[in-house]
């Protein structure tokens, strides 16, 4: 499973509260990604990182921020959670040397009430 | 940006039959096309991929074909088995960051 863990695995929170999800990898990969998965939409990229302190937006970045202060950790923050952010969040790393394969973490199920 | 369309959204086949899932993409600069299998409650798992300089790739019972001119690629599963039942996603990637744009998924059910 490419040494990727996510925490928490499940979270229920209320509208307006801040939430931080953590992705941790053990294999020193440079690229890390955050996706959200919703029925009918597949997986959509929120933000990605290409190194410590180097991040960029994906297609659905509004309402989310990220930080990467260490190679192994990539944090996703919802500054003020809304019900539309109820989703399953997957972290991924780019582990391939040739074809840039991405491997996913186990996911975090977030419910915003 | 890139747009990936995937069809069909659901597919039911009998065990032993073949299954084909098709995707189209919009960005001619896309150069990497992975396929993921996701079982209920699990993470997406990479099952096969293809780069734009290759027309076909095969791994045991699964194969992927790519038509760059038409901008479409397909997943073929032969001799389907009940354990092939899952949701399958295609994706397209472009650029140095390898950002993936996913299709909306195909739910494959293999019946006995």
């Amino acid at each position: 499973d490419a040494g990727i863990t996510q925490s928490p695995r499940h979270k229920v929170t209320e509208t307006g509260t801040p939430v931080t999800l953590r992705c941790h990898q053990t294999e020193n990969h440079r690229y890390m990604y955050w996706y959200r998965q919703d029925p009918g939409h597949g997986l959509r990229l929120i933000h990605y990182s290409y190194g410590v302190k180097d991040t960029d937006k994906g297609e659905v970045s509004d309402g989310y921020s990220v930080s990467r202060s260490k190679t192994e950790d990539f944090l996703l923050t919802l500054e003020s959670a809304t019900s539309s952010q109820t989703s399953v969040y997957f972290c991924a790393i780019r582990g391939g040397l040739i074809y840039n394969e991405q491997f996913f973490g186990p996911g975090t199920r977030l419910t915003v009430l | 940006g890139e747009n990936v369309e995937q069809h069909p959204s659901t597919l039911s086949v009998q065990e032993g039959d073949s299954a084909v899932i098709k995707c189209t993409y919009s960005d001619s600069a896309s150069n990497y096309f992975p396929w993921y299998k996701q079982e209920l409650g699990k993470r997406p798992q990479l099952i096969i991929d293809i780069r734009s300089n290759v027309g076909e790739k095969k791994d045991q019972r699964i194969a992927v074909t790519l038509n760059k001119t038409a901008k479409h690629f397909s997943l073929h599963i032969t001799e389907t088995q009940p354990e092939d039942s899952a949701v399958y996603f295609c994706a397209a990637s472009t650029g140095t960051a390898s950002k993936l744009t996913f299709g909306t998924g195909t739910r494959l059910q293999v019946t006995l």
Side-chain angles (χ1 to χ4, degrees), chain A residues 59-88:
Chain A
E59 62 176 299
V60 290
S61 59
D62 287 349
Y64 301 95
S65 62
V66 290
S67 65
R68 192 168 179 201
S69 59
K70 298 184 292 184
T71 298
E72 58 266 35
D73 288 327
F74 190 30
L75 305 180
L76 177 70
T77 297
L78 292 65
E79 302 289 347
S80 178
T82 67
S83 58
S84 64
Q85 294 176 312
T86 292
S87 187
V88 179

Side-chain angles (χ1 to χ4, degrees), chain B residues 1-12:
Chain B
E2 176 65 279
N3 181 53
V4 177
E5 295 189 357
Q6 182 172 348
H7 299 281
S9 57
T10 60
L11 179 59
S12 182

Side-chain angles (χ1 to χ4, degrees), chain B residues 44-100:
Chain B
Q45 296 272 12
L46 178 67
I47 57 170
I48 196 167
D49 55 18
I50 192 168
R51 276 186 72 92
S52 57
N53 59 352
V54 176
E56 184 174 0
K57 184 178 178 181
K58 192 173 182 180
D59 183 3
Q60 298 182 346
R61 295 187 298 108
I62 59 173
V64 58
T65 59
L66 172 65
N67 183 326
K68 284 175 54 180
T69 302
K71 287 192 277 189
H72 66 71
F73 55 113
S74 301
L75 177 71
H76 304 253
I77 306 174
T78 59
E79 301 173 16
T80 54
Q81 302 169 1
E83 51 265 40
D84 294 328
S85 296
V87 179
Y88 292 81
F89 292 96
C90 63
S93 168
T94 187
T96 55
S98 298
K99 296 180 290 183
L100 291 178

